[in-house]
Amino acid sequence: MAEVRVRFAPSPTGYLHIGGVRTALFNWLFARHAKGKLILRIEDTDQDRSTDEAIQAILDGMRWVGLDWDEGPFRQTERMDLYRQQALRLLEQQQAYWCLCTAEDLEARRKEAMAKGLQPGYDGRCRERGITVPSGSAALRFKASREGQIVVEDLIKGRVVFDNNVLDDLIILRSNGYPTYNFSVVVDDALMGITHVIRGDDHLNNTPRQIPIFKALGHAIPSFGHLSMIMGADKAKLSKRHGATSILAYKDMGYLPEAMINYLVRLGWSFGDQEIFALAELIEKFDLAHVQKSSAVFNPDKLLWMNAHYIQHGEPKRLAGLLRPFFGQVDLGEAAAKASDVWMEKLVVTLRERAKTLVEMATAAVPYLQEELTVEPAAAEKFLTPAIAPSLTKLTDRLEGVADFSKAVLEETFKNFLEEEGLKIGQLAQPVRVSLTGRTASPGIFEVMDLLGRDRTLARLRQGIALAGRTRP
């Protein structure tokens, strides 16, 4: 069998969004499963809207989620001569013709056709004029067949039939010399040897326009597979209000790339009831036969759940490295920079059960990095009371005498102290927690003590005792 060659071809008119990343992912998995090639092509012929900033964001976004490519990135603006050569070749073969109709003429005839209830496409006025050397501005149109049908055996949607009589003669070269989308795409796919075109179903109606051009150029027609759109929970097309921001915005919000990949692959593809996939598993199991025809619904809560799963099961050393940049968001970047790698790994292990994103983890880590602990006033009011001050003082004195400041020893010391004093754990645990973290919710207090270390644990308990002993208003 011929080598599988697929392409991801974004337009740099904005940032790389969820839908684009899913399309790239499905192409990437299809290529990797078949041991084929993924070509990255930047379709930047829209001069007014394409920007270098958007191109860089596309590349950065793909690199962040780990989608590499085998060839490219190619830019269509660097292939303009190629498109003109191929367009003029069709002219020589009498499969294209010059059109002198102005934009004003075309608009007037479109309105006239619509008023009569006719198809508003181009009426073929210049088709038989035989213009060989156009004077003034002229566009080059492809001679489309007026009879028969085009049948697309779509790899996802099944058989789709288009009647040729509803298609008009497509412009392939504009009067300014720039190719149109449907023409440049075909030239690139043909000359790059693309065997499978996997793209969003908003391109399905372009397919009957493109297939005749493949035939006219004498190239094999690739297999097509059109992915259904991603919708919001309200069944409307995914937009910013649903969270469809740039893929790099999810990086800034503390999502992990492996969580994004796992979530996006499940937006329209399934393998039984399995939810969590290692990347190697996805490459092994992915095929288009299990891609659903109906639209997928973007669920931010499900994405958050999946991200929490990967945080909880991730390798602490790697997570610690990913976490460091987020301390800048809580004004503790300098303190985090001083923390050792070993301590950062311990921090991750302590906090990851409660954190759904790296931003949440950085926020939860604030008490452990602060030089001077900020105690929530309501927490102090409720739990650091004069009544608890004596017991808190005795506990602190007892802990000061502990030589081995490990979790196991601390827990045993705490248990023995409660028994001796006739106290229940609930009576002392919250005052200790508030003293150590300034908050009423935290990981286990022995994990907290282990993370803070002996000196800071004792210092914060003394601070808690001082707060508890203050005269209340």
Side-chain angles (χ1 to χ4, degrees):
M1 292 180 64
E3 178 186 60
V4 166
R5 292 174 63 83
V6 297
R7 45 74 161 183
F8 176 53
S11 297
T13 55
Y15 296 112
L16 185 59
H17 296 290
I18 290 292
V21 178
R22 187 191 64 164
T23 298
L25 172 61
F26 280 23
N27 275 280
W28 187 88
L29 288 172
F30 188 82
R32 295 294 172 259
H33 177 82
K35 296 181 171 55
K37 297 284 174 59
L38 172 66
I39 292 84
L40 178 58
R41 186 171 76 222
I42 307 296
E43 298 186 341
D44 59 343
T45 55
D46 187 335
Q47 294 172 285
D48 296 327
R49 298 171 61 213
S50 296
T51 66
D52 289 339
E53 181 186 12
I55 292 174
Q56 190 59 51
I58 289 169
L59 301 181
D60 291 345
M62 289 191 67
R63 289 186 179 114
W64 177 62
V65 292
L67 298 181
D68 57 350
W69 51 91
D70 303 293
E71 297 176 19
F74 299 102
R75 291 182 62 166
Q76 286 190 327
T77 49
E78 296 173 352
R79 298 165 62 82
M80 302 304 292
D81 290 342
L82 191 59
Y83 306 133
R84 294 188 186 103
Q85 290 168 11
Q86 296 297 312
L88 294 175
R89 195 181 120 205
L90 291 180
L91 178 66
E92 292 170 5
Q93 296 171 188
Q94 297 186 347
Q95 291 174 306
Y97 62 92
W98 290 112
C99 174
L100 299 179
C101 298
T102 65
E104 292 76 17
D105 291 338
L106 294 173
E107 179 61 18
R109 295 207 295 270
R110 186 187 72 83
K111 290 180 178 178
E112 183 181 343
M114 291 182 69
K116 295 178 179 179
L118 302 175
Q119 190 76 19
Y122 181 64
D123 60 8
R125 186 160 302 193
C126 293
R127 183 172 175 134
E128 305 302 334
R129 290 179 64 182
I131 302 167
T132 54
V133 182
S135 57
S137 61
L140 195 61
R141 289 185 181 272
F142 179 73
K143 282 187 179 179
S145 173
R146 302 285 178 83
E147 300 176 350
Q149 296 177 321
I150 292 176
V151 178
V152 180
E153 299 292 350
D154 195 276
L155 297 170
I156 296 168
K157 295 188 174 296
R159 171 170 285 217
V160 186
V161 179
F162 298 90
D163 290 324
N164 283 331
N165 59 14
V166 300
L167 302 175
D168 58 1
D169 291 348
L170 175 75
I171 291 177
I172 58 176
L173 206 62
R174 295 187 180 92
S175 58
N176 63 4
Y178 266 68
T180 56
Y181 167 78
N182 277 309
F183 184 65
S184 59
V185 162
V186 171
V187 171
D188 284 338
D189 286 345
L191 299 184
M192 292 178 181
I194 301 302
T195 60
H196 297 76
V197 173
I198 304 168
R199 59 190 179 185
D201 65 4
D202 52 333
H203 288 288
L204 181 58
N205 289 334
N206 288 325
T207 308
R209 292 185 173 279
Q210 294 170 2
I211 287 176
I213 301 176
F214 277 105
K215 292 179 178 177
L217 291 173
H219 289 279
I221 300 168
S223 299
F224 291 92
H226 290 89
L227 307 168
S228 294
M229 292 288 97
I230 302 174
M231 301 294 186
D234 56 0
K235 306 301 181 184
K237 185 178 178 182
L238 199 64
S239 65
K240 285 185 178 180
R241 75 175 187 276
H242 299 110
T245 50
S246 158
I247 190 64
L248 291 176
Y250 287 95
K251 176 185 178 182
D252 295 338
M253 289 188 287
Y255 286 84
L256 301 180
E258 56 269 36
M260 293 300 306
I261 288 292
N262 197 150
Y263 179 73
L264 290 177
V265 80
R266 291 287 288 111
L267 276 181
W269 177 86
S270 61
F271 191 85
D273 294 328
Q274 186 172 345
E275 290 285 356
I276 304 298
F277 294 88
L279 194 58
E281 270 188 297
L282 287 176
I283 292 171
E284 175 193 348
K285 295 176 177 177
F286 184 84
D287 62 14
L288 296 181
H290 289 88
V291 174
Q292 67 187 38
K293 296 179 183 179
S294 58
S295 297
V297 177
F298 181 78
N299 183 341
D301 292 334
K302 184 69 172 291
L303 172 59
L304 199 59
W305 170 84
M306 193 161 281
N307 200 60
H309 169 86
Y310 278 96
I311 285 177
Q312 289 163 15
H313 295 87
E315 201 275 310
K317 184 176 182 179
R318 174 174 173 269
L319 290 174
L322 294 174
L323 179 63
R324 281 188 186 273
F326 289 91
F327 287 112
Q329 295 187 21
V330 291
D331 298 323
L332 286 171
E334 188 175 336
K338 296 176 182 177
S340 70
D341 292 341
V342 172
W343 187 86
M344 285 291 293
E345 289 176 42
K346 187 184 289 188
L347 177 73
V348 166
V349 172
T350 303
L351 299 180
R352 64 182 179 180
E353 289 299 321
R354 292 169 172 261
K356 295 178 181 178
T357 68
L358 294 177
V359 170
E360 283 188 12
M361 189 180 288
T363 302
V366 168
Y368 310 99
L369 285 163
Q370 282 180 323
E371 286 292 331
E372 294 185 15
L373 180 66
T374 301
V375 179
E376 295 175 352
E381 182 73 25
K382 184 173 182 180
F383 295 106
L384 298 181
T385 64
I388 202 65
S391 296
L392 202 54
T393 302
K394 287 182 182 180
L395 174 66
T396 304
D397 292 340
R398 178 72 62 87
L399 292 175
E400 199 160 13
V402 173
D404 180 5
F405 221 73
S406 63
K407 283 187 288 186
V409 173
L410 289 169
E411 189 167 4
E412 183 67 22
T413 302
F414 194 87
K415 179 182 176 183
N416 292 338
F417 178 80
L418 291 176
E419 290 178 356
E420 291 171 16
E421 296 294 316
L423 296 170
K424 294 181 179 179
I425 190 169
Q427 294 175 272
L428 200 53
Q430 280 299 78
V432 169
R433 176 174 283 109
V434 172
S435 297
L436 295 178
T437 69
R439 304 172 178 182
T440 55
S442 77
I445 57 175
F446 308 114
E447 285 81 1
V448 170
M449 291 180 185
D450 181 57
L451 186 62
L452 289 173
R454 179 190 183 85
D455 292 344
R456 286 205 296 166
T457 293
L458 295 172
R460 290 189 177 186
L461 287 172
R462 297 290 182 198
Q463 179 183 334
I465 293 165
L467 287 173
R470 286 179 183 171
T471 302
R472 304 284 162 169

